[in-house]
Structures are given as C-alpha cells and as structure tokens.
Amino acid sequence: MTDMKRRTLLKGTLAIGALGMAFGTGLLTPRAALAAWPQGAFDAKSVDDALKGLFGSTQLEGNDKIAIKLPEIAENGAVVPVSVEVAMDSVESITILAEKNATPLTSSYTLSASTDPFVSTRIKLGKTTSVIAVVKAGGKLYSAGKEVKVTIGGCGG
C-alpha cells in the first residue's frame, strides 16, 4: 500500500514539473485565452483615445439611469471603491474611466444578456479627477460621471 502511494506521489510530481517546464519555455501560454484584449485602449493617454480604442467612437450621451457610486473624497487614491448600476435594458458593457489618470481606462466589463448590469471594483486615482462610467446599451454609448477629490495619490502622486 505504501508503494502505491509513493508511485502516485512521484507521478504527480513529475506531471507538475512537466507543466512547469512547458509554461517556463512558452509552450503553454495563458495569453491564448485573451485574444480580444484591447491593448491600445488600455495604453491610451486620453479619454477620447481610450473610447476610440474600445468602441470606435467618442459620441457619448448623458443618462440619469446610470448610478455611479464612489466617495466624494478619497483619502487614499490607491484603492478607491467604485460601483456602477444601470437601470436600462440591453446593456452590453460597462466601462470605467478616470479622466486625469496617466492611462484613463481603469476597467471594462462585457456583460451577457442574462447578467444584471452592475459592477463593483476598486480603482487607482493619481489625483483629483472625474470618474466616468460609460455604458453600451442597444448599440449606443451612454455616460455618467462624478468628481472625486484625492488627498493622497495612488499612481505615484
């Protein structure tokens, strides 16, 4: 019985070692699952460039059915809680941008039709800025925003 346990342990150890080698040499890469990563949008230096990279358009329409919640004063810009709730039908995505960050696009979420249009996350803010929630619904872009005063910057500020 002890001999069987030892063999199972050795087989498991060899399998894990082989997987580690495959990852280390680049034979197996997790990037293959992220083929649709919008790298240009996350590298953009302005809100307009980020919107063009994600949606191909900068045409936003204000909408009061988008509720963005975040503190008026963020004592630590490294971890600012943000939640966005949308009272609209056919929501396809929710995107959060911080206007004065070095790279304004903080996050973007693609939602399925059966998902409640709600996201909650924490973002980094370098200084006092407007945080903008962009919602894509029915093929159109809608937005809402809120100003946040940052006392200690989270992006090296």
Side-chain angles (χ1 to χ4, degrees):
M1 186 68 163
T2 304
D3 195 38
M4 290 301 286
K5 288 181 182 178
R6 190 175 333 149
R7 286 183 187 169
T8 304
L9 176 67
L10 286 173
K11 285 180 186 178
T13 303
L14 286 173
I16 290 172
L19 280 173
M21 291 293 290
F23 276 114
T25 59
L27 293 174
L28 292 175
T29 59
R31 291 185 219 197
L34 301 175
W37 173 259
Q39 186 68 40
F42 279 97
D43 289 340
K45 302 297 180 199
S46 71
V47 171
D48 284 346
D49 289 343
L51 289 171
K52 283 179 191 172
L54 271 178
F55 305 111
S57 174
T58 59
Q59 299 297 317
L60 301 177
E61 184 178 315
N63 194 308
D64 60 353
K65 293 183 179 182
I66 302 169
I68 182 168
K69 293 181 186 175
L70 59 148
E72 290 183 20
I73 298 174
E75 292 185 16
N76 182 356
V79 285
V80 181
V82 179
S83 66
V84 178
E85 188 169 6
V86 184
M88 298 169 63
D89 293 329
S90 305
V91 174
E92 301 168 33
S93 69
I94 297 175
T95 300
I96 301 172
L97 300 121
E99 186 177 28
K100 293 182 183 174
N101 273 7
T103 53
L105 180 58
T106 65
S107 55
S108 186
Y109 306 91
T110 302
L111 307 176
S112 71
S114 62
T115 305
D116 285 338
F118 172 82
V119 295
S120 181
T121 189
R122 295 180 186 273
I123 62 173
K124 217 180 236 197
L125 298 175
K127 55 186 164 184
T128 299
T129 188
S130 291
V131 175
I132 305 162
V134 177
V135 174
K136 184 176 182 181
K140 294 177 88 175
L141 297 176
Y142 302 95
S143 68
K146 186 174 178 183
E147 180 88 6
V148 179
K149 182 177 179 341
V150 178
T151 57
I152 300 173
C155 299

